[in-house]
Amino acid sequence: ALHFLDSAALLGCADLRGKSLVDVGTGAGFPGMVLKLMVPELRLTLVDSLGKRLDWLGEVCGALGLEGVERRHARAEELALQSGWRDSFDFATARAVAELRVLCEICLPYVKVGGRFLAMKAADCMDEVGSAAHAFAVLGAPAAELLHYTVPHAGVERTMVRLQKLEDTPDRYPRRFK
């Protein structure tokens, strides 16, 4: 239940109705699948490097009758360099995938100018935010908004790092990560 409630908390940070969202490193579908259940008109793309996860999520979509969910088996940093993927989404999100500086480099290229990257982090992420500040600016999203919340019924403190993309991410990003 914690993962569902934590994922649903994004709805307090962004209006997703009629928007497109890429969930990078979706894993078991958090937060993307929860957001799709809560906002059926969301155009959702799930990206993961493990095909079995995406196959399972496809079965879940079928069982729940969810439409408008695209699944893409790929390394996120490679897919973000491809035409049709880069600068294509209103929102990108990632949960528990990597350190914030790396996450921004992978996720911001997917976001169109004016869109937002929503990074789900622990409550005590201030050092991580500080060390990523230069990366925010280089990648086109110079000002981070920190939205603190408590996961309902769990008492877990979390921080949403919301970055609005104000200019194009330079073509050399993301770099390849091993």
Short mmCIF file of all heavy atoms in Angstrom, two decimals, residues 8-15 147 162:
data_model
loop_
_atom_site.label_atom_id
_atom_site.label_comp_id
_atom_site.label_asym_id
_atom_site.label_seq_id
_atom_site.Cartn_x
_atom_site.Cartn_y
_atom_site.Cartn_z
N ALA A 8 0.62 7.95 -5.76
CA ALA A 8 -0.56 8.81 -5.91
C ALA A 8 -0.28 10.23 -5.42
O ALA A 8 -0.94 11.18 -5.87
CB ALA A 8 -1.75 8.22 -5.17
N ALA A 9 0.69 10.40 -4.55
CA ALA A 9 1.02 11.73 -4.03
C ALA A 9 1.46 12.68 -5.15
O ALA A 9 1.35 13.90 -5.00
CB ALA A 9 2.11 11.63 -2.95
N LEU A 10 1.94 12.16 -6.27
CA LEU A 10 2.33 13.02 -7.39
C LEU A 10 1.16 13.84 -7.91
O LEU A 10 1.36 14.90 -8.49
CB LEU A 10 2.90 12.18 -8.55
CG LEU A 10 4.40 11.99 -8.54
CD1 LEU A 10 4.81 10.98 -7.51
CD2 LEU A 10 4.87 11.58 -9.91
N LEU A 11 -0.05 13.35 -7.71
CA LEU A 11 -1.23 14.06 -8.21
C LEU A 11 -1.39 15.41 -7.52
O LEU A 11 -2.02 16.31 -8.08
CB LEU A 11 -2.48 13.20 -8.03
CG LEU A 11 -2.46 11.90 -8.83
CD1 LEU A 11 -3.66 11.05 -8.49
CD2 LEU A 11 -2.39 12.18 -10.32
N GLY A 12 -0.80 15.57 -6.35
CA GLY A 12 -0.82 16.87 -5.68
C GLY A 12 0.25 17.82 -6.21
O GLY A 12 0.27 18.99 -5.84
N CYS A 13 1.13 17.32 -7.08
CA CYS A 13 2.25 18.11 -7.61
C CYS A 13 2.06 18.50 -9.07
O CYS A 13 2.84 19.30 -9.58
CB CYS A 13 3.54 17.31 -7.48
SG CYS A 13 3.92 16.77 -5.81
N ALA A 14 1.11 17.90 -9.75
CA ALA A 14 0.97 18.14 -11.18
C ALA A 14 -0.42 17.75 -11.65
O ALA A 14 -0.97 16.75 -11.19
CB ALA A 14 2.02 17.33 -11.94
N ASP A 15 -0.96 18.51 -12.59
CA ASP A 15 -2.23 18.18 -13.23
C ASP A 15 -1.90 17.34 -14.47
O ASP A 15 -1.37 17.85 -15.45
CB ASP A 15 -2.97 19.46 -13.62
CG ASP A 15 -4.32 19.17 -14.26
OD1 ASP A 15 -4.70 17.98 -14.40
OD2 ASP A 15 -4.99 20.14 -14.65
N LEU A 147 8.86 19.95 -2.92
CA LEU A 147 7.53 19.79 -2.34
C LEU A 147 7.59 18.65 -1.34
O LEU A 147 7.80 17.49 -1.71
CB LEU A 147 6.51 19.51 -3.44
CG LEU A 147 6.52 20.52 -4.58
CD1 LEU A 147 5.73 20.01 -5.77
CD2 LEU A 147 5.95 21.85 -4.11
N ARG A 162 10.60 18.98 -8.19
CA ARG A 162 9.90 19.32 -9.43
C ARG A 162 10.74 20.32 -10.21
O ARG A 162 11.08 21.39 -9.70
CB ARG A 162 8.53 19.90 -9.10
CG ARG A 162 7.69 20.19 -10.34
CD ARG A 162 6.26 20.49 -10.00
NE ARG A 162 6.14 21.70 -9.19
CZ ARG A 162 4.98 22.14 -8.66
NH1 ARG A 162 3.88 21.43 -8.82
NH2 ARG A 162 4.96 23.25 -7.96
#
